Amino acid sequence: MTKFEPTKISSIKQVWEEEGFSFRKSLSQNFLIDQNIVDKILNAANVKNGDVILEIGPGSGALTLSMLKRGATVYAVEIDPISTRILTKHLSVYENFHLINQDILTTDLSFLTEGTKIISNLPYHITSPIIAKISAMHGIFNDIVLMVQKEMADRMLAVAPSKNRSSFSIFSEYYFDIKSLFIVKPGCFMPKPKVDSVIISLKSKENLPYNDPSDFFKMVRKAFSQKRKMISSTLKEQDIKKALASLGLDPNSRPEQLSLKSFIDLYDLLASS
Ligand code: SAM
């Protein structure tokens, strides 16, 4: 059997050829082939013996193998059947490797316990629903280190006022303290993506403002549905201008100008009136 070295191009190409694997763009398959970057990601998450880690989309197994070598228990969820077959063949020697051949968006993760880490080079096309799924399990994951497309990181990290802000910025900020760690260039992947990627760290916030934030997010999404317009003209059912003014905010604010705190204050004020 070919020696399994996922970040060594000749080795991984041979494995793929043996198994009849070909890249599927529709699954955001850009595989890491740079061991330095793999090590930097694992160091950022302080991966060590005894850790329990959820990996979303292990793909060719570059991160997976290194996490297993460090003695972590890895639950990896991969949708691609051929990747799954390859990883089963080459990584089953590790007793602490658990592979789930499913779509992460429908996988029941309720077996994971508090303190589980998440490390993933995310399938970019489903970044937002994955973050939403993770946030719904608040309190389970403490260290989360993700690779996302730079544009997505810019949106998640945008501080008001900023054109990069969207309802997703507010959503991310509501649940997590987010930091940008480092950029990963297209040359570190096979095949090469068109854009830069960014490694971000997310720490779950301890106290969340609402037990059920669904109405709050409904308001935020509505405010951003017409991003260039003033909030007062998008949310017209109440006297928004007056509410903004009473909070010391510009009555003509557009959604991208408001911080998370301002949105919370506005929501609370409207809910109480
Ligand atoms: N972890 C690998 C690496 O860093 O080289 C691969 C990362 S690649 C960007 C994304 C991976 O997610 C691919 O292996 C792809 O097949 C997998 N994937 C895509 N959609 C998925 C889904 N809905 N559920 C689980 N895995 C998915």
Side-chain angles (χ1 to χ4, degrees), residues 20-186:
F21 175 83
S22 49
F23 299 113
R24 286 165 71 184
K25 220 174 161 183
S26 61
L27 295 180
S28 309
Q29 290 183 332
N30 300 99
F31 298 123
L32 266 172
I33 45 161
D34 186 323
Q35 188 61 41
N36 287 329
I37 298 294
V38 169
D39 293 338
K40 267 178 95 168
I41 295 171
L42 267 56
N43 291 343
N46 187 25
V47 174
K48 55 186 184 317
N49 191 21
D51 279 352
V52 178
I53 299 172
L54 169 68
E55 186 187 4
I56 299 161
S60 57
L63 292 163
T64 329
L65 176 62
S66 291
M67 294 192 278
L68 291 168
K69 280 185 175 169
R70 289 195 186 194
T73 293
V74 179
Y75 292 92
V77 182
E78 173 57 63
I79 199 168
D80 185 306
I82 303 182
S83 285
T84 303
R85 195 170 72 217
I86 294 172
L87 294 173
T88 304
K89 186 166 165 185
H90 292 274
L91 296 182
S92 291
V93 289
Y94 291 91
E95 277 174 15
N96 46 354
F97 177 52
H98 308 276
L99 185 56
I100 302 164
N101 179 206
Q102 280 178 23
D103 178 344
I104 184 63
L105 297 179
T106 53
T107 305
D108 179 1
L109 299 175
S110 58
F111 66 92
L112 294 169
T113 52
E114 205 178 322
T116 302
K117 293 181 177 179
I118 303 181
I119 297 180
S120 172
N121 171 9
L122 285 182
Y124 294 157
H125 64 295
I126 49 171
T127 301
S128 319
I130 290 176
I131 304 267
K133 180 162 185 156
I134 295 171
S135 60
M137 292 178 72
H138 197 260
I140 298 294
F141 306 113
N142 55 0
D143 281 303
I144 304 172
V145 174
L146 304 176
M147 170 133 51
V148 297
Q149 279 192 330
K150 185 167 178 305
E151 188 202 343
M152 185 55 97
D154 289 345
R155 273 211 272 156
M156 290 172 81
L157 288 152
V159 173
S162 162
K163 284 200 169 51
N164 285 329
R165 249 167 118 70
S166 67
S167 57
F168 188 59
S169 320
I170 306 278
F171 183 88
S172 311
E173 196 185 344
Y174 179 92
Y175 285 103
F176 304 105
D177 288 312
I178 307 172
K179 265 198 223 152
S180 169
L181 301 181
F182 56 93
I183 287 183
V184 184
K185 290 289 183 190

Side-chain angles (χ1 to χ4, degrees), residues 240-253 258 261-262 265-266 269:
I240 305 292
K241 280 199 180 197
K242 210 166 123 196
L244 288 167
S246 74
L247 293 168
L249 299 166
D250 178 358
N252 298 324
S253 296
L258 292 201
K261 181 175 179 314
S262 299
D265 290 346
L266 179 64
L269 186 67

